[in-house]
Amino acid sequence: MLSVKKVTLDYELSLSGIDGFPVIGWEIESNQRNVKQVCYQLQVSDDKYFDAVLFDSGVISSDASVNVNINEILLHPSTRYFVRVKIKDNHGEESLWSTAAGFITGLLDTPWSGDFISAETLADKDNSKVTLLRKTFSLNNDSAVASAYLHVSALGVYQFYLNGGKVGNDELTPGWTSYHNHLLYQTYDLSEQLKPGENAIGAELGAGWYKGDMGFTRDRNYYGEQTALICQLVIHYEDGTRQIVVTDNSWRGDDSPILFSEIYDGEICDASFEQEGWNKTGFDDAHWRPVSLVSYDKKVLTAQGACKVKKIATLEPTSIITTPQGDTVIDFGQNLSGWVEFKVNGNWGDKVILRHFETLDAQGNVYLDNLRSAKQRVEYVLKGGATEVYHPRFTWQGFRYVKVESYPGNVSPENFKAVVLHSDMAQTGQFNCSNEDLNQLHHNILWGLKGNFIDVPTDCPQRDERLGWTGDAQIFCRTASYLMHTRNFFAKWLRDLQHDQTPEGGVPHVIPDILTGHCANDINLAEGGTHSAAAWADAAVINPWTMYLMYGDTRVLENQYQSMKGWVDFMLTHSENLIWRYKLQFGDWVALDAKEGSYFGATPTDLVCTAYFAYSTQLFSQAAKALNRTEDFERYSALHQQIVQRFQDEFFTPSGRLAARTQTAHILALYFNLVPESFRERTVNTLVELLREHDGHLVTGFVGTPYFCHALSQNGREKEAWELLLKDDFPSWLYQVKAGATTIWEHWDGMKPDGSMWSADMNSFNHYAYGAVGEWLYRSVAGIEADADEPGFKHVIIAPTIGGNVSWVDAAYDSVYGEIKVRWQVRQSSAGDIVTLDVKVPHNTHATLKLSGIGELLSARDMTFKLQKNSGFAEVGSGDYKVEYLRA
Ligand code: BGC
């Protein structure tokens, strides 16, 4: 039976607050094989029963089931809409209407009637206190409320309340963006929560990224000096009338019991200052102060429909220990980002003081040094009496361990839990195999993502940094996009990248850019500038391209097109005869072939720059092709050819030796296809030689590491790629696993075999960058590969890399068409190793199976399987398939 399951809007199950009609997608369910959609029909209504249909597409002959656009419909602001779909397939079956997916519009073109209001003054510039704002209002109609939608944002970080209850379940709103260009507002449905008569609304406002203390140079007030709130509550009554409640000078303000809150340093709350019922009706706010109006360009307010930070999970302590130095430490067993929520009984004035940190030192004592100046400290002063429960809300901590510096009573596990925070994205990747260390590595990569996807892709979540370093986000983008549904997360960040680009197209090192103009104390940045480093700035091209590849999404390419082009043109402008470099370059950052104590790896900068110049130019030309911009496609593909030629002339000797004898130079040349075909074998052999010189270990940094396994396996060296992946002594991915890591470390030698550590000035234990090897697990080990000609996995290439003495792998990727599954298993038999491969191809897609190492084919039902020497190929439609063969 044919049915439509899971209708998505802008790739989400529902959206609350959008600026334009979302793109629509759906997954198809059927018990048949080889299912292709032949037509669809879409309807839009503003009632969930579709009694009044506002838009009917009619029957459209098309196989499109993702990225479907309808623009004809005129949307009203602050209104809920529903979308449903039905389809017919190539077997003549017709589905029923799908369950409807719903979205709520934002304010669209309606101007904001309210103002930004603040309980602070300019004298609070250096203050990090939390303030309160409140107002009561009465419903001005006896008619029932038909709908009530709140649109709200802030300069700072806000929590909003209605009649004493928190509105929505988002945290750290409105998130972090290039605020002067792009400030997000959130939309909440209060239709069921308003009560007849009087209602109270209120908000708490913290400094957050907006005016707080940020960046390793510890500056503050990057965007402004006062926190402020803006909201517009739109109430529609059943009788057709409307009421609007906004932020204006009728609100009152006061200080909250949270005396201090900063992203790096934590929170101080004195509960004895709590004002019972401050966010409810009936509260006497006569002693509160009037609010002031803050002028701010409201045109930059943009609706955010999804992907907000949420409490995702809670973890219990795994143990409570007393360190050799006598500290009481709670271990949550997992390095994570979020809060500790605690319960406490005590007297007025008793204190709970917690310090959050990542790792114990070699002696088993508390290790805070790598947090640098970030205090990660939470202090709570009890009001006394009944049980009190608290967690901070305007900050977060990166930690596995918590040192309890003060707590009235016994520190027992039931009184503490860790609340895991990250941007709300569905997990799309699953990977399990017979090797437990690899499973732990996959777990660590996933948790590296969780800990660092708090609204912005950050380098690390614990020390005084937590910045959107472009290089880190670039190298991890593809891995992240296998693991989780990153489309809206990256689309948001890329918009800020575009806003913060220099007029010449240069790309800042961090997005949102808070380094420019704030780095006088950092010699490297002060002298070398704050933008345009190879592999970092290339996020401008690689990340949108990755979204296209993974989701088939041309919208993100359209939106980023000028940004992508700007970056490629920047490199061209700053190149000399197509070899480029520019001011400060990070090169193969933190590679082990760096000079003692240096962060800069041995691979020459101009080689890294020019390799990325070629790669980004190639991807940009492909983006131009995908958008039918023929002129740009032709121009930039020709430019790409020229850069490749220059690279070869400059960096290869006439006899085929790559002049820079580093692992990373060879990896880049191979992976970016910069090697003349006649030199390929020599280049691959040298790379293997360079591995052997280090006893099979990598010495690569941020630039070489992500592609190392690919450069080997794509060139017939699958065995060496597996060996590299499975190395478990220093330095290697599994060395960290064996050392008990639960996330990915910044340095291969973050913790050395003798227990000593890399210098504390730069030693994060939750840095996802080297987790970029996750891409190899999905694309090569499981072999779930995308095809740029039919992106979004409309065409799936299934080409697993069997090896490494791993006896089975069970992996899945939940694509926009549905789940792609690959399971392979190797069994020993008297005739040799038997490989069984089970795959699942989603409906309305097709797949190519590419298998190698086949000795004898045992079975391949429901497909035409072509054998060529030891390789086998099959083209299949949707459905489940099994292939069995004897290994060569
Ligand atoms: C960050 C890195 C980043 C690098 C650039 C560091 O401080 O933590 O991950 O990419 O600086 O140099």
Side-chain angles (χ1 to χ4, degrees):
M1 206 178 81
L2 183 71
S3 63
V4 172
K5 69 167 192 181
K6 200 165 136 178
V7 175
T8 58
L9 305 165
D10 279 347
Y11 314 91
E12 306 283 348
L13 295 175
S14 66
L15 295 169
S16 184
I18 54 163
D19 286 327
F21 208 94
V23 292
I24 307 169
W26 53 90
E27 285 179 25
I28 297 170
E29 204 162 48
S30 167
N31 47 8
Q32 306 250 33
R33 199 188 278 288
N34 234 327
V35 174
K36 287 185 197 151
Q37 176 186 294
V38 294
C39 59
Y40 69 82
Q41 184 174 2
L42 266 175
Q43 286 185 341
V44 181
S45 173
D46 56 5
D47 82 277
K48 65 178 170 202
Y49 304 108
F50 284 76
D51 288 337
V53 172
L54 303 173
F55 170 84
D56 190 329
S57 67
V59 176
I60 299 201
S61 295
S62 166
D63 71 343
S65 58
V66 302
N67 296 309
V68 175
N69 273 299
I70 47 168
N71 295 320
E72 291 112 285
I73 172 165
L74 178 74
L75 293 174
H76 295 288
S78 311
T79 305
R80 188 187 285 275
Y81 291 91
F82 299 90
V83 179
R84 66 180 182 179
V85 186
K86 69 183 193 175
I87 59 163
K88 280 187 192 159
D89 72 9
N90 55 332
H91 298 286
E93 287 199 53
E94 182 172 348
S95 76
L96 298 173
W97 283 110
S98 68
T99 308
F103 67 90
I104 303 167
T105 51
L107 280 169
L108 304 179
D109 293 333
T110 324
W112 287 80
S113 322
D115 285 301
F116 281 93
I117 58 166
S118 178
E120 292 190 328
T121 67
L122 289 177
D124 290 310
K125 180 170 177 270
D126 296 323
N127 247 322
S128 306
K129 64 187 179 189
V130 172
T131 53
L132 306 176
L133 293 160
R134 65 171 259 120
K135 177 192 169 68
T136 54
F137 66 94
S138 291
L139 296 188
N140 61 7
N141 196 307
D142 291 336
S143 169
V145 170
S147 69
Y149 297 113
L150 170 76
H151 310 286
V152 53
S153 184
L155 310 177
V157 174
Y158 77 85
Q159 298 248 320
F160 201 92
Y161 298 88
L162 169 69
N163 298 326
K166 177 173 153 64
V167 167
N169 56 0
D170 304 325
E171 306 294 344
L172 299 169
T173 42
W176 190 15
T177 50
S178 175
Y179 291 127
H180 294 311
N181 298 297
H182 177 211
L183 172 61
L184 295 173
Y185 68 89
Q186 290 70 42
T187 294
Y188 298 102
D189 184 356
L190 304 185
S191 313
E192 305 290 326
Q193 288 151 32
L194 289 177
K195 53 178 191 169
E198 200 181 34
N199 287 270
I201 47 180
E204 294 173 288
L205 277 183
W209 299 277
Y210 181 80
K211 67 163 256 194
D213 183 342
M214 288 295 301
F216 41 83
T217 55
R218 301 301 302 252
D219 239 328
R220 59 181 299 124
N221 304 111
Y222 285 90
Y223 303 94
E225 301 176 345
Q226 271 175 280
T227 55
L229 179 80
I230 189 164
C231 82
Q232 187 144 327
L233 171 60
V234 182
I235 306 164
H236 288 113
Y237 292 100
E238 295 285 3
D239 66 4
T241 57
R242 203 178 70 146
Q243 178 181 3
I244 295 183
V245 181
V246 299
T247 35
D248 56 22
N249 54 17
S250 68
W251 289 58
R252 310 276 293 165
D254 202 6
D255 291 340
S256 115
I258 302 171
L259 308 177
F260 174 89
S261 189
E262 279 285 355
I263 286 175
Y264 297 154
D265 289 339
E267 215 155 277
I268 301 174
C269 174
D270 186 340
S272 59
F273 291 117
E274 261 176 28
Q275 304 186 52
E276 184 58 38
W278 72 271
N279 48 16
K280 294 184 181 161
T281 55
F283 178 80
D284 181 6
D285 59 20
H287 62 289
W288 284 32
R289 51 188 183 265
V291 295
S292 56
L293 304 188
V294 173
S295 93
Y296 200 83
D297 182 5
K298 292 182 229 163
K299 284 202 225 41
V300 302
L301 284 158
T302 313
Q304 184 184 29
C307 206
K308 294 161 238 184
V309 175
K310 287 189 166 47
K311 293 178 181 171
I312 302 290
T314 53
L315 301 183
E316 309 292 330
T318 51
S319 64
I320 294 182
I321 52 178
T322 304
T323 67
Q325 285 177 342
D327 291 317
T328 303
V329 168
I330 306 172
D331 180 2
F332 286 98
Q334 173 63 53
N335 200 343
L336 62 96
S337 290
W339 302 315
V340 172
E341 181 179 299
F342 54 83
K343 264 195 298 206
V344 61
N345 283 291
N347 298 318
W348 177 84
D350 282 348
K351 280 185 182 173
V352 178
I353 301 176
L354 307 178
R355 296 294 303 272
H356 304 68
F357 64 102
E358 289 190 286
T359 188
L360 298 167
D361 67 12
Q363 289 68 45
N365 288 315
V366 174
Y367 183 73
L368 301 173
D369 294 357
N370 70 330
L371 305 176
R372 303 197 305 217
S373 67
K375 293 199 181 67
Q376 296 224 106
R377 179 181 184 277
V378 169
E379 175 178 333
Y380 179 81
V381 185
L382 277 70
K383 57 187 175 212
T387 303
E388 296 170 51
V389 178
Y390 185 77
H391 66 69
R393 279 163 298 150
F394 302 91
T395 175
W396 80 91
Q397 286 71 48
F399 64 100
R400 167 176 167 169
Y401 298 95
V402 174
K403 174 185 173 197
V404 184
E405 291 187 349
S406 172
Y407 183 83
N410 283 337
V411 177
S412 53
E414 64 277 10
N415 290 332
F416 297 87
K417 58 185 178 197
V419 178
V420 178
L421 289 179
H422 60 80
S423 292
D424 186 22
M425 299 170 288
Q427 189 174 332
T428 46
Q430 307 287 340
F431 183 93
N432 276 295
C433 71
S434 58
N435 182 321
E436 279 310 322
D437 290 341
L438 270 191
N439 293 339
Q440 182 68 36
L441 175 66
H442 180 267
H443 168 101
N444 295 1
I445 298 170
L446 178 64
W447 277 85
L449 185 162
K450 292 182 183 189
N452 283 294
F453 276 50
I454 295 190
D455 211 54
V456 160
T458 57
D459 53 340
C460 54
Q462 72 300 85
R463 68 181 179 220
D464 51 7
E465 206 149 353
R466 314 185 192 188
L467 302 177
W469 281 97
T470 46
D472 308 45
Q474 180 273 109
I475 63 183
F476 191 60
C477 179
R478 186 82 185 270
T479 299
S481 305
Y482 273 104
L483 293 170
M484 283 201 181
H485 205 343
T486 60
R487 193 274 176 192
N488 290 325
F489 179 84
F490 278 121
K492 162 190 172 283
W493 183 72
L494 285 167
R495 190 167 173 167
D496 291 315
L497 184 148
Q498 179 153 14
H499 282 307
D500 284 352
Q501 250 169 307
T502 70
E504 218 193 347
V507 180
H509 301 323
V510 303
I511 300 293
D513 177 21
I514 58 159
L515 297 181
T516 304
H518 294 270
C519 57
N521 301 337
D522 184 290
I523 293 180
N524 278 337
L525 296 172
E527 286 176 4
T530 53
H531 65 90
S532 303
W536 272 250
D538 294 279
V541 173
I542 295 171
N543 291 43
W545 176 255
T546 305
M547 295 300 104
Y548 175 68
L549 210 54
M550 297 299 280
Y551 304 109
D553 173 23
T554 47
R555 208 180 254 201
V556 73
L557 289 187
E558 290 281 3
N559 292 342
Q560 297 303 126
Y561 194 76
Q562 288 313 323
S563 159
M564 299 167 87
K565 190 172 180 172
W567 171 238
V568 174
D569 289 347
F570 180 96
M571 291 187 276
L572 182 58
T573 308
H574 290 276
S575 65
E576 223 181 282
N577 198 7
L578 299 183
I579 303 293
W580 89 283
R581 64 162 297 160
Y582 182 83
K583 298 189 180 177
L584 175 65
Q585 294 295 322
F586 303 117
D588 194 17
W589 186 248
V590 297
L592 286 174
D593 56 10
K595 290 198 186 102
E596 188 60 29
S598 164
Y599 298 114
F600 301 93
T603 306
T605 301
D606 52 356
L607 185 147
V608 173
C609 288
T610 308
Y612 268 94
F613 182 22
Y615 187 51
S616 280
T617 305
Q618 182 188 25
L619 296 186
F620 176 65
S621 73
Q622 285 179 254
K625 186 172 163 205
L627 298 179
N628 295 319
R629 303 196 190 203
T630 317
E631 214 175 290
D632 276 352
F633 166 60
E634 284 166 4
R635 182 164 155 236
Y636 287 91
S637 42
L639 175 62
H640 169 243
Q641 290 305 316
Q642 290 159 9
I643 305 167
V644 173
Q645 188 58 54
R646 276 295 292 134
F647 183 94
Q648 297 176 348
D649 294 347
E650 186 76 19
F651 300 111
F652 279 95
T653 65
S655 57
R657 181 165 57 84
L658 185 54
R661 211 176 166 279
T662 65
Q663 292 178 350
T664 290
H666 288 73
I667 293 164
L668 287 188
L670 287 165
Y671 187 75
F672 291 168
N673 272 315
L674 304 170
V675 183
E677 215 30 60
S678 54
F679 300 164
R680 182 170 289 273
E681 200 180 325
R682 179 171 180 176
T683 312
V684 179
N685 289 342
T686 311
L687 178 59
V688 171
E689 229 172 81
L690 285 163
L691 252 181
R692 295 210 175 113
E693 283 171 18
H694 294 277
D695 193 25
H697 294 107
L698 40 61
V699 290
T700 48
F702 273 35
V703 164
T705 302
Y707 309 128
F708 210 148
C709 289
H710 291 297
L712 292 166
S713 64
Q714 290 175 356
N715 290 287
R717 298 303 191 115
E718 293 88 346
K719 186 169 152 288
E720 286 80 0
W722 266 110
E723 282 167 4
L724 175 65
L725 178 72
L726 294 178
K727 275 267 161 201
D728 60 6
D729 57 343
F730 173 79
S732 64
W733 287 285
L734 298 188
Y735 164 72
Q736 302 182 4
V737 167
K738 295 274 189 208
T742 59
T743 41
I744 302 289
W745 300 350
E746 179 175 23
H747 291 267
W748 297 117
D749 48 0
M751 204 173 288
K752 297 177 198 169
D754 65 4
S756 65
M757 295 195 205
W758 173 270
S759 132
D761 71 343
M762 192 84 109
N763 200 13
S764 150
F765 292 96
N766 193 358
H767 229 78
Y768 54 54
Y770 289 154
V773 70
E775 184 182 326
W776 198 71
L777 296 179
Y778 284 94
R779 287 177 65 192
S780 295
V781 173
I784 302 174
E785 178 65 296
D787 174 0
D789 290 330
E790 294 183 68
F793 296 90
K794 176 80 177 162
H795 177 219
V796 194
I797 299 166
I798 295 180
T801 304
I802 291 157
N805 280 331
V806 168
S807 57
W808 60 267
V809 166
D810 205 342
Y813 169 66
D814 200 4
S815 78
V816 282
Y817 290 95
E819 196 175 44
I820 302 163
K821 274 186 167 180
V822 171
R823 181 184 162 84
W824 56 257
Q825 191 172 11
V826 185
R827 271 184 355 261
Q828 285 166 352
S829 79
S830 52
D833 284 353
I834 297 175
V835 177
T836 311
L837 173 75
D838 290 284
V839 303
K840 179 180 186 190
V841 180
H843 295 307
N844 211 26
T845 71
H846 63 116
T848 303
L849 307 190
K850 290 187 184 174
L851 307 180
S852 55
I854 302 178
E856 182 191 334
L857 183 68
L858 301 176
S859 74
R861 276 193 304 276
D862 305 307
M863 66 180 91
T864 309
F865 198 85
K866 291 185 202 136
L867 272 172
Q868 256 175 23
K869 290 191 186 156
N870 291 136
S871 300
F873 302 88
E875 299 293 339
V876 296
S878 69
D880 296 332
Y881 301 92
K882 189 191 274 296
V883 178
E884 219 160 37
Y885 61 88
L886 265 178
R887 236 170 145 184

